[in-house]
Amino acid sequence: MASQNHNLNHHFFLLVSQLVIISLLFQHYSFAATQLVSQVCQATQDPNFCLQILGADKRSGTADLKGLGIISLESTSSWAKATQDQIRKLLSQHPGLDFKSVLDHCTVNYDGSAYALQQGIQFLNANDYANANDMANVGWQNGNDCERVNSQSVKNLSLRGSNQKMMKLSDMSRVITGKLINGS
């Protein structure tokens, strides 16, 4: 009977020890990933926005730089698609000619962005960081161009907000893929 209690205590001790070790390892990796997120976000145009976006994705807690790049490009691609939908909705409301020309221009921008960002994800998965960075730049340039055309015309605030977010998301993707190119 004493031998069984000893074996039971021994197994219990091993189980608890393994759980403690696993917990400590997870905290170490989580802390390192959190440091990486902070480091990346400090290099962006809007560090608080970057921290908010990457912090909202649970994968960031254990992601390496490439993983953060995938999260960022996926977020940027998703936003480009949402903005495409927003533009289609605005077009369906039969806007005036001035705003229709802005929307038509921005449709081309966001169609190009959505395609480029999907390509960027594929390039990143293939470890082609330079082309992934180029695709992130396309997203930034197209958001910026849509905003330029919008600000010269009717200045639709909902579109402006979408463009601003697109540029911030694309900036995150550019920073991360740029760090991957440089190996930092």
Side-chain angles (χ1 to χ4, degrees):
M1 183 80 164
S3 173
Q4 281 182 326
N5 280 343
H6 176 71
N7 283 340
L8 196 59
N9 287 339
H10 180 71
H11 289 297
F12 179 74
F13 176 75
L14 284 175
L15 179 63
V16 170
S17 298
Q18 289 173 342
L19 289 174
V20 168
I21 291 169
I22 290 170
S23 174
L24 290 173
L25 286 173
F26 179 74
Q27 286 176 354
H28 171 73
Y29 288 121
S30 182
F31 179 72
T34 302
Q35 284 185 311
L36 180 61
V37 168
S38 295
Q39 177 191 11
V40 164
C41 289
Q42 287 306 310
T44 65
Q45 294 171 346
D46 189 340
N48 290 330
F49 175 83
C50 176
L51 287 168
Q52 178 185 8
I53 296 298
L54 292 179
D57 192 306
K58 63 184 176 194
R59 297 175 294 172
S60 295
T62 57
D64 60 4
L65 193 57
K66 182 178 174 181
L68 292 178
I70 290 170
I71 293 166
S72 182
L73 281 168
E74 286 175 351
S75 297
T76 310
S77 176
S78 179
W79 188 253
K81 291 174 187 173
T83 304
Q84 282 179 306
D85 292 342
Q86 177 189 6
I87 291 169
R88 284 188 199 102
K89 183 177 177 184
L90 290 168
L91 278 167
S92 74
Q93 297 170 355
H94 307 291
L97 287 179
D98 284 348
F99 192 42
K100 183 180 181 323
S101 79
V102 169
L103 293 171
D104 288 341
H105 183 92
C106 291
T107 296
V108 173
N109 288 128
Y110 279 95
D111 286 349
S113 290
Y115 177 77
L117 293 163
Q118 283 300 307
Q119 292 296 113
I121 293 167
Q122 291 177 12
F123 284 130
L124 192 58
N125 282 324
N127 299 323
D128 185 347
Y129 305 137
N131 279 318
N133 184 263
D134 288 345
M135 297 302 103
N137 275 313
V138 168
W140 186 87
Q141 290 167 347
N142 285 342
N144 191 42
D145 189 51
C146 179
E147 183 54 30
R148 178 189 57 79
V149 171
N150 183 48
S151 67
Q152 291 174 348
S153 182
V154 291
K155 299 177 183 147
N156 182 282
L157 295 179
S158 65
L159 195 56
R160 181 166 196 248
S162 294
N163 292 331
Q164 295 295 319
K165 186 170 180 178
M166 180 66 175
M167 288 185 287
K168 289 178 184 182
L169 286 165
S170 297
D171 178 59
M172 282 175 29
S173 297
R174 293 186 322 172
V175 166
I176 295 169
T177 54
K179 286 182 173 295
L180 285 164
I181 291 169
N182 297 328
S184 55

